[in-house]
Amino acid sequence: MAEILDFTRTPEPPEPLWREALGRKLRETREERGDRLVDVADRAGISVQYLSEIERGRKEPSSEMIAAVAGALGVDLADLLIGIAGQVRNLRASGYLKAGNQFHTSRPTGRPSGPVAMAWAA
Amino acid sequence: MAEILDFTRTPEPPEPLWREALGRKLRETREERGDRLVDVADRAGISVQYLSEIERGRKEPSSEMIAAVAGALGVDLADLLIGIAGQVRNLRASGYLKAGNQFHTSRPTGRPSGPVAMAWAA
DNA sequence: CTGCCGTTCTGCTCGTGGCAGAACCGCCCT
DNA sequence: AGGGCGGTTCTGCCACGAGCAGAACGGCAG
């Protein structure tokens, strides 16, 4: 694992990468459910440290992994994607890698900001 | 490349996999632009046969690849994700692997086709 | 101090991403 | 008939990285 963080490698525009946005949303979803890494990892049938790396956007999970984790979180792919799209929008709108790159900035003072997807009940 | 198609491996529900939905949307977007494989592949800086495999959902592209292809198609990640979510929804709604698996069912008679994004509202 | 939870490091294996080269398959030309 | 064109598919190849186990470490609450 060389240096995924090393974004000097590619002169990519400040667009967040897929795995980063995905990981961020997965973590958010898990925390909203009050689950721990080990819970989700167990249900998804993957190792805990790998799930940690996925959530931090450091590894590129396969489609089957994504499906497994999403299933373990009780969300389907479409909802997940919409949620991620909202994340990306927010990151673009706000700074995103302007400086320290501190996500979760706009913790919902009340406004749900993005599409936010559909609630998953209670 | 063993057998990606072999969905007997995992007892996954009839949910389409990420790479499949992604590929489908990428192809749709490319065709709407009237581009050829070689055009997009050139701009994205990848080989043509690999792009073909991505669009057919047979290989698992890295985040950088996704960004490159999306960039070559002139769409950003958020739009792409929303489009894919719509695809997935449609596939779920209609048959999807009920039988022949003939996507693109609901072609809208001639609509501008673009990103189109969120409708399904009602 | 002691767990609990998450992160990170080492180290390993084996799969597969991604390429080149070429053949092949419709399809539309004329 | 031939011949491009666009796309698919096959072979073969190599390096990288997915994914795991094991363990150590760093907060943070009790």
Side-chain angles (χ1 to χ4, degrees):
Chain A
M1 60 188 80
E3 58 301 312
I4 293 181
L5 293 183
D6 184 354
F7 42 74
T8 64
R9 274 174 37 214
T10 41
E12 298 290 326
E15 189 99 50
L17 288 173
W18 155 248
R19 74 174 102 85
E20 296 171 344
L22 171 66
R24 206 152 29 218
K25 188 63 189 175
L26 288 178
R27 163 149 305 185
E28 181 185 299
T29 305
R30 176 177 63 83
E31 289 178 343
E32 278 171 0
R33 298 189 79 220
D35 280 336
R36 304 170 311 172
L37 276 177
V38 62
D39 298 326
V40 178
D42 273 6
R43 268 175 290 165
I46 70 176
S47 73
V48 62
Q49 64 268 48
Y50 188 54
L51 177 58
S52 168
E53 301 195 278
I54 290 176
E55 286 189 353
R56 311 205 70 209
R58 297 179 166 279
K59 292 245 169 143
E60 196 90 50
S62 67
S63 295
E64 286 79 0
M65 286 288 161
I66 297 173
V69 175
L73 289 172
V75 298
D76 64 38
L77 188 58
D79 291 341
L80 190 62
L81 293 177
I82 291 177
I84 296 171
Q87 291 254 16
V88 174
R89 285 255 155 74
N90 284 346
L91 293 181
R92 292 193 63 106
S94 60
Y96 186 64
L97 76 74
K98 263 297 175 50
N101 200 351
Q102 215 66 11
F103 344 106
H104 310 105
T105 52
S106 62
R107 272 295 284 116
T109 38
R111 268 293 148 255
S113 55
V116 158
M118 28 204 63
W120 33 73
Chain B
M1 60 189 83
E3 58 299 312
I4 294 181
L5 294 183
D6 185 354
F7 41 74
T8 63
R9 273 174 40 213
T10 42
E12 299 291 326
E15 189 98 51
L17 287 174
W18 155 248
R19 74 173 101 84
E20 296 170 344
L22 171 67
R24 204 151 30 216
K25 188 63 190 176
L26 287 178
R27 165 151 301 183
E28 180 186 298
T29 306
R30 177 177 61 82
E31 289 178 343
E32 279 169 0
R33 298 189 80 226
D35 279 336
R36 305 170 308 172
L37 275 178
V38 64
D39 298 326
V40 178
D42 273 6
R43 268 176 290 165
I46 70 175
S47 72
V48 61
Q49 64 266 49
Y50 188 54
L51 178 58
S52 168
E53 302 195 276
I54 290 176
E55 286 189 352
R56 309 204 73 210
R58 300 184 162 277
K59 292 246 171 139
E60 197 90 49
S62 68
S63 294
E64 285 80 359
M65 284 289 161
I66 296 173
V69 175
L73 289 171
V75 298
D76 64 36
L77 189 58
D79 291 341
L80 191 61
L81 293 177
I82 291 177
I84 295 171
Q87 291 253 15
V88 174
R89 283 258 154 71
N90 284 345
L91 293 181
R92 292 194 63 106
S94 57
Y96 186 61
L97 75 74
K98 263 295 177 51
N101 200 350
Q102 214 67 11
F103 347 103
H104 308 104
T105 51
S106 62
R107 273 292 285 114
T109 18
R111 271 285 146 254
S113 64
V116 160
M118 32 198 73
W120 52 74

